[in-house]
Amino acid sequence: MSRILVVDDDDQLRRALRINLTARKYEVITAPDGTQALTAAGHTPPDLAIVDLGLPDMDGVDVVRGLRGWTAIPIIVLSARDDQTGKVEALDAGADDYVTKPFGMDELLARIRAALRRATPQPETATITTPDFTVDLAAKRLTTPTGQDIRLTPIEWRMLEVLTRHADKLVAQKQLLREVWGPAYETETGYLRVHLANLRRKIEPDPSRPRYLITEPGIGYRFTP
């Protein structure tokens, strides 16, 4: 049974999440603020945390940082904020995903299941196969279904490699820039748009309607195999 920590100052929302998660056989720990959340997590380590950004005693981003300082569990951020800044900051602090309030319970439950699946140790795979191409991470080779090589530049390959190693997971702009170009380029978001457009032209069936390389506007990118 997976244990989930729910951190939110909204009593009704905490109750609703507890009821829905308990009904699906999760063990649930709730906390109305950041201090109690970090204390509860320290005493009873969860398998996943759901953290609201708007907490009464501290910013939810600080809770994310506090958890990430000692655990690698999936962290899903809840946000009622209209701007992207808080979400981006939370992802940079170590959150794995975000859900904007108001949200559908089915969507949140699906994201929880996906996050827990990703957190479960799996046999290391070096090959990702889709209907339109195959990525061989070990051989650093991208091929069509008929086995023909798709030529990528070193930058395009590195971007694809980072995104495929985080399949189905949101990769923040800063993280992608840092891993591909280095820490000095964390604000050069224009680089991402240019090179991702080139990569889409090479691997997407319809680059104007991406199937595999999905943009989360203002936040980051997601590879969906």
Side-chain angles (χ1 to χ4, degrees), residues 104-184:
M105 188 62 69
D106 287 342
E107 177 191 359
L108 178 61
L109 291 167
R111 289 178 184 254
I112 289 170
R113 291 193 297 270
L116 288 171
R117 282 197 304 269
R118 290 194 298 267
T120 302
Q122 300 290 335
E124 185 66 23
T125 177
T127 303
I128 297 171
T129 301
T130 76
D132 298 288
F133 56 85
T134 296
V135 184
D136 188 333
L137 295 170
K140 292 188 179 296
R141 190 181 178 202
L142 178 67
T143 55
T144 67
T146 59
Q148 294 179 311
D149 285 324
I150 302 173
R151 300 295 181 185
L152 300 182
T153 67
I155 289 294
E156 290 166 357
W157 173 260
R158 183 60 183 145
M159 289 182 71
L160 183 62
E161 184 179 40
V162 172
L163 291 169
T164 53
R165 289 191 183 278
H166 296 82
D168 285 322
K169 183 176 178 181
L170 182 63
V171 179
Q173 291 178 341
K174 282 187 178 180
Q175 179 184 348
L176 190 53
L177 284 163
R178 187 168 55 246
E179 293 197 34
V180 176
W181 282 275

